[in-house]
Amino acid sequence: MEKLRRAMMFVPGNNPGMLQNAGIYKADTVIFDVEDSVLISEKDAARQLVHNVIKTVKYPCEVAVRINHITTPYGKEDLAVILPAKPDLIRLPKAETAEEIKIIDEIISEAEEKNGFAHGSIKMMAAIETAKGLMKAYEICSASPRMVALALGAEDFLADLKTTRSSHGSELFGARSQIILAARAAGVQAIDTVFTNVNDEEAFIAETTRIKEMGFDGKSVINPRQIKMLYKIFAPTEKEIDLAERVLAAYEEAKAKNSGVIALNGKMIDVPVVTRAERVIGYARALGLRKGGSTND
């Protein structure tokens, strides 16, 4: 099963204490940010700080870094300082073209070779935050084999659309739908935008429920309090887990017998059913509902 990225938590790259303790909140991914949350005057210090914590702290989760856009005066310097520390993932904000992804891919390849890292070991994801980027979503997420996810950055996106965010979220329905389609077509994960009002838990739960139903794999978060609520929404029910276990058992039994026909309770089981079952069990193991290694181990 693919790696779980239900909660991708942003951590300001200029806050030593938050960087040091980022792993204790059990997010699937921590995203150390050297972009929007860091003042221009602090970017040099922030990227060096992020480099140092990645080198010295053993985090129990995936470690990503949100760099400044590659066309800004800061993007390439972010990569120059941070890549030798070997983050798991680089997140590009405000992606608009496949060419941007290819440029970063080449820079990462050079860093991997220079530092003796396995080729392809540093992954990439991109955030769609403009109408232009949304129109190129599929090209962006299929521009490099390093790409593992496509995210929505709602605040900048809505500013570009000249509208504002509402409680019902209808202004984001089109973008969310297109991002899901582009991500699935390219074979990468789809990650929803942050919910910025951390005190409105009811609205956060409602929004997270909606995006799970749409097919998103996870959500960016800005506060550790949101992680537990998010995991509860993404957790499978006991009935779903039981069915998934029986589907996978029937699949394994058919493989052992070299049988091309797989059925459970008279119903045919095909590859999509097996894939969904594996996904359910992956979630169950990640939450400790079933024994077995987490996909994030």
Side-chain angles (χ1 to χ4, degrees):
M1 181 182 162
E2 65 186 4
K3 191 173 187 62
L4 294 181
R5 295 188 176 90
R6 297 161 299 173
M8 303 189 80
M9 185 178 74
F10 281 108
V11 181
N14 59 348
N15 188 315
M18 294 182 71
L19 290 172
Q20 186 82 20
N21 297 320
I24 68 175
Y25 301 110
K26 300 183 178 179
D28 291 326
T29 305
V30 290
I31 305 175
F32 298 154
D33 182 35
V34 296
E35 196 218 9
D36 281 352
S37 66
V38 177
L39 296 173
I40 291 175
S41 60
E42 297 181 358
K43 289 195 182 293
D44 287 343
R47 62 172 72 99
Q48 192 60 55
L49 190 57
V50 168
H51 170 101
N52 291 342
V53 294
I54 295 175
K55 289 281 284 186
T56 57
V57 178
K58 184 173 176 57
Y59 293 96
C61 59
E62 184 177 56
V63 176
V65 179
R66 182 169 73 170
I67 62 170
N68 291 276
H69 196 275
I70 199 67
T71 59
T72 69
Y74 319 106
K76 290 184 179 178
E77 186 62 20
D78 291 342
L79 292 171
V81 174
I82 291 165
L83 287 176
K86 199 176 187 302
D88 298 312
L89 179 66
I90 292 294
R91 173 165 168 154
L92 177 70
K94 303 178 181 63
E96 292 191 327
T97 68
E99 285 68 30
E100 298 163 359
I101 303 299
K102 292 175 181 176
I103 290 171
I104 297 173
D105 181 294
E106 290 179 5
I107 294 173
I108 295 175
S109 293
E110 291 173 2
E112 286 175 337
E113 183 174 353
K114 183 178 179 181
N115 292 280
F117 304 152
H119 180 73
S121 56
I122 299 176
K123 306 301 183 186
M124 293 177 60
M125 68 178 294
I128 299 299
E129 302 181 57
T130 65
K132 182 179 178 182
L134 186 62
M135 300 305 292
K136 298 288 185 181
Y138 174 73
E139 288 89 339
I140 289 169
C141 55
S142 57
S144 165
R146 296 181 190 277
M147 288 290 290
V148 295
L150 188 68
L152 171 63
E155 303 308 322
D156 284 305
F157 181 79
L158 293 177
D160 193 43
L161 260 57
K162 300 180 180 179
T163 185
T164 56
R165 199 163 179 176
S166 70
S167 59
H168 48 73
S170 61
E171 67 282 356
L172 290 174
F173 181 76
R176 282 172 166 151
S177 299
Q178 289 193 52
I179 285 174
I180 284 284
L181 292 172
R184 293 292 177 258
V188 303
Q189 294 177 326
I191 307 298
D192 191 46
T193 187
V194 297
F195 186 83
T196 55
N197 186 354
V198 296
N199 293 321
D200 193 344
E201 295 185 357
E202 183 178 349
F204 174 79
I205 290 170
E207 178 170 285
T208 304
T209 301
R210 282 198 302 271
I211 64 102
K212 178 179 181 287
E213 291 171 350
M214 291 183 73
F216 277 90
D217 298 282
K219 189 172 181 62
S220 300
V221 299
I222 55 173
N223 191 295
R225 286 160 46 198
Q226 297 175 325
I227 295 173
K228 190 173 181 179
M229 291 185 285
L230 191 153
Y231 284 176
K232 187 175 181 180
I233 293 166
F234 272 82
T237 64
E238 188 60 35
K239 184 177 180 180
E240 291 171 333
I241 297 171
D242 178 66
L243 176 60
E245 288 177 330
R246 288 188 287 125
V247 165
L248 294 179
Y251 175 68
E252 293 300 327
E253 182 179 355
K255 279 203 310 182
K257 295 179 178 177
N258 290 320
S259 173
V261 179
I262 312 172
L264 178 66
N265 299 332
K267 294 181 179 178
M268 299 298 294
I269 297 173
D270 52 15
V271 173
V273 175
V274 173
T275 301
R276 283 197 293 272
E278 290 175 336
R279 186 179 178 85
V280 168
I281 296 301
Y283 280 134
R285 287 176 175 170
L287 290 163
L289 301 175
R290 286 294 187 275
K291 293 182 178 178
S294 163
T295 54
N296 282 358
D297 287 345

